[in-house]
Amino acid sequence: DAKTTQPTSMDCAEGRAANLPCNHSTISGNEYVYWYRQIHSQGPQYIIHGLKNNETNEMASLIITEDRKSSTLILPHATLRDTAVYYCIVRVADGGFKTIFGAGTRLFVKA
Amino acid sequence: DGGITQSPKYLFRKEGQNVTLSCEQNLNHDAMYWYRQDPGQGLRLIYYSQIVNDFQKGDIAEGYSVSREKKESFPLTVTSAQKNPTAFYLCASTENSGNTIYFGEGSWLTVV
């Protein structure tokens, strides 16, 4: 599985959109982009994933560039409960067993 | 509800003792995983299992052992050979043909 690069930390004002970037310049054609988040002392929670097209669900939106070398996770109206570590990972289409989880981005949502 | 259950949530161990962390899933997933997480760090793969009675070493398997006698269960034993076992341990599972990884709530192990 390809590696990803994320900023160490970001701040966001409550009620504003949080835009979390991720670089995955070595991504292969059969690899999906996945986002998870982890609140302290809990297991990571799945947020969203995509291959080529932009995706949206009840939690977030995922914007993938046309060359697929980077993506952005958007939390449209951040709340204090969105304060967490956000992980961007890539996984092959048939699963893959050695997915790399880096240190992620620590998002602080401030009142 | 379907999910992954890890127990115990908090565990204290004396140096030199082995300890076993439990992981049970009722998602009917084929593959199961164990990760270790140190404070402020990402997740590192310890072991994974694709099917019953088969498992593979991950990146940091030394000092750990696992078994996969049943599809729903994948216990992890932290042995006395693990030099720095204090960490947060996460169990996960996937369908073999699926992409999404599902995680348990984790277990904190502290060596005293």
Side-chain angles (χ1 to χ4, degrees), chain A residues 32 34 36 38 40-46 49 87 89 91-99 101-103 106, chain B residues 9 31 33 35 37 40-43 45 48 50 57 59 88 90 94 96-105 108:
Chain A
Y32 287 76
Y34 271 79
Y36 286 78
Q38 185 178 28
H40 184 62
S41 294
Q42 296 183 20
Q45 175 192 21
Y46 165 79
H49 74 283
Y87 297 99
I89 64 170
R91 278 174 62 75
V92 297
D94 62 353
F97 300 101
K98 291 193 172 184
T99 301
F101 281 83
R106 190 170 296 273
Chain B
K9 178 67 176 179
Y33 311 76
Y35 290 92
Q37 186 175 33
Q41 304 297 312
L43 281 61
L45 183 63
Y48 64 97
Q50 300 177 53
K57 292 182 179 180
D59 300 318
F88 189 51
L90 286 160
T94 59
N96 261 338
S97 60
N99 295 310
T100 303
I101 305 172
Y102 296 89
F103 287 89
E105 286 303 302
W108 280 101

Side-chain angles (χ1 to χ4, degrees), chain B residues 6 13 18 31 39 45-46 55 60 67 75 78 82 91 94 100 109:
Chain B
Q6 291 187 235
R13 187 195 91 175
N18 293 351
L45 183 63
I46 305 172
F55 48 83
I60 56 165
S67 63
V78 184
Q82 170 51 236
C91 179
T94 59
T100 303
L109 172 63

Side-chain angles (χ1 to χ4, degrees), chain A residues 69-85:
Chain A
K69 293 185 177 182
S70 65
S71 61
T72 301
L73 178 75
I74 301 173
L75 308 178
H77 304 287
T79 70
L80 298 179
R81 287 179 293 181
D82 291 322
T83 293
V85 177

